[in-house]
Structure formats: structure tokens, C-alpha cells
Amino acid sequence: MERRSNPLRHNETVRVLLEFLEVAVTSVVFLKSVYPAGAFERRRYMGVIVPRARHPELREYIHTSISSLSPFVEKEQVERVTVIFFNNENIPIEKFVFKLSLNLSHRQEVEEPDFKFSLRSFLMKLSQAKSLTRALPTDCRWEVTAYFRSLPDHSSKEAPLWIPTDTQLWQQPPAITPIKSMSSEPLSMQLYLEHPGPSESAGRTG
């Protein structure tokens, strides 16, 4: 029996991508044990067991952070979505980076099950990435930050959704650890870790 064709429309592509990013960010926070394991419950998404935040405020922060990117994703303006962990001096000590290249003008038909299957592999790799990460201090904090290819037009209705970041930059190129990548239409994506380079870490320690 042949599978019924179900090509994704542009708005559905954006919806599935944002839904995936929301689950992926939750998975990152769970992976880093920022909160007790009891702060999450298990659920199935894309055939993979993933965590879901029990606390309404945590769940709402992640949902709002990702869903507010929708108009910018639709315009292909979002370059990276990053989960950043900071020490008590507000200095980044670890970053999970989702680097995106979205082409909504592609002509190739993409079926939703195939698109979801590609994203599913990221969740599987992410769940196994604990050994690639570094231990966090007990007083750390974290945030979701998006980086744009161009600054949003402040006269647009989406402008209030965008707030400039005050995250401190590392002075040296970071150490990068790849986790997973895909290259296809309509989405190419890389997931990798960033840590301060050796010279940067030594300088901070001193």
C-alpha cells in the first residue's frame, strides 16, 4: 500500500520547526540537570521519549521564547537559537547552538513524516550528549537567545518581541563540539556545543 502524499506547506514547516525547537530546548535544560528530575515528566514526541517541564512558568518561558520567533523564522531571519548557561559572574560557560538555514522558497516537495524523521535524529543525539558537556556550578543560570541574520525592523509589529542581548562575549574563539547536523531542503541545521577556549578558561580561573 502506497503512502499518501502529504507535502509540507511553508507555514507547516515553520510550525514543525518551532515545535521541535521547544522540545529540544526543554531536553537541553533537562540534560544539564539545572532542576531536579522531578521537575519534568516523560512524554513521547516524534517517537522519542522526551522531557516536558511540569512547572507552568518554566514551560511558559520556553514556549514563549520559541514561539515569539515565528515571524522571524517565516522571513528566514533566524540564524541561531542558543541555550546559554552562565556562571555567577554572568559569564557564559556553555552554549548549545542550533544553527539554522531555512529555505522556504524551495520547490522540492517535502513530506511531513520525512521532515520529522530528520528532526527526530537530533533529539536522539541530544539525549546521548551528556558526556560531551561540562559540569555546571550550583548557582548557574540559563537563557534562550536567538541571533538574526539582520536586525528586525523596529517599525514592524514584531519589533517588541525582540530584545537585544547583553550576553558577554568570549575574547577568544570557542571550542566547538559537533553533536548532529543535517543538510537538505527546506532546512539545513547544525547542533553543536560551544565552550570557552583553553586560554579563555585559564584567564577566567586566574
Side-chain angles (χ1 to χ4, degrees):
M1 183 176 179
E2 294 185 359
R3 186 176 67 181
R4 185 177 179 181
S5 179
N6 185 28
L8 278 171
R9 293 190 291 269
H10 291 175
N11 63 327
E12 293 171 335
T13 300
V14 173
R15 174 187 58 78
V16 172
L17 176 58
L18 293 177
E19 187 179 80
F20 158 79
L21 286 172
E22 185 173 337
V23 173
V25 168
T26 304
S27 298
V28 167
V29 177
F30 174 79
L31 183 75
K32 294 303 298 177
S33 302
V34 178
Y35 307 104
F40 299 87
E41 59 188 7
R42 290 155 56 93
R43 71 181 181 104
R44 188 173 292 275
Y45 174 74
M46 293 185 179
V48 180
I49 300 298
V50 296
R52 178 178 184 268
R54 293 179 183 271
H55 197 287
E57 290 186 11
L58 175 57
R59 195 164 61 241
E60 181 63 20
Y61 168 71
I62 296 174
H63 173 72
T64 302
S65 298
I66 299 303
S67 63
S68 64
L69 293 175
S70 180
F72 308 116
V73 173
E74 289 173 357
K75 296 176 182 178
E76 302 175 10
Q77 288 183 318
V78 179
E79 181 182 30
R80 285 170 289 155
V81 177
T82 306
V83 185
I84 308 177
F85 296 90
F86 301 84
N87 63 15
N88 60 2
E89 296 178 348
N90 207 36
I91 296 171
I93 52 178
E94 187 167 69
K95 301 178 183 180
F96 284 75
V97 183
F98 296 84
K99 187 174 183 180
L100 312 173
S101 179
L102 187 63
N103 177 20
L104 293 175
S105 61
H106 71 99
R107 296 183 178 180
Q108 178 182 349
E109 285 192 352
V110 178
E111 306 238 351
E112 183 169 347
D114 296 332
F115 187 51
K116 286 185 173 181
F117 183 80
S118 298
L119 295 176
R120 175 179 180 269
S121 62
F122 281 81
L123 297 175
M124 296 176 67
K125 278 287 189 180
L126 188 56
S127 68
Q128 302 166 3
K130 182 78 170 179
S131 62
L132 304 176
T133 68
R134 298 181 183 177
L136 297 176
T138 55
D139 53 355
C140 73
R141 71 173 188 87
W142 65 278
E143 69 180 26
V144 178
T145 299
Y147 297 86
F148 299 92
R149 290 184 169 81
S150 60
L151 294 179
D153 184 356
H154 289 283
S155 63
S156 69
K157 63 181 181 180
E158 296 92 2
L161 300 175
W162 179 78
I163 301 173
T165 181
D166 58 357
T167 299
Q168 296 186 47
L169 300 178
W170 291 321
Q171 300 303 309
Q172 303 295 328
I176 295 177
T177 304
I179 297 177
K180 176 68 180 173
S181 65
M182 63 178 278
S183 180
S184 62
E185 295 292 357
L187 175 69
S188 293
M189 180 166 60
Q190 299 175 47
L191 168 60
Y192 54 89
L193 281 167
E194 286 187 357
H195 294 110
S199 58
E200 185 108 22
S201 299
R204 296 295 185 190
T205 303

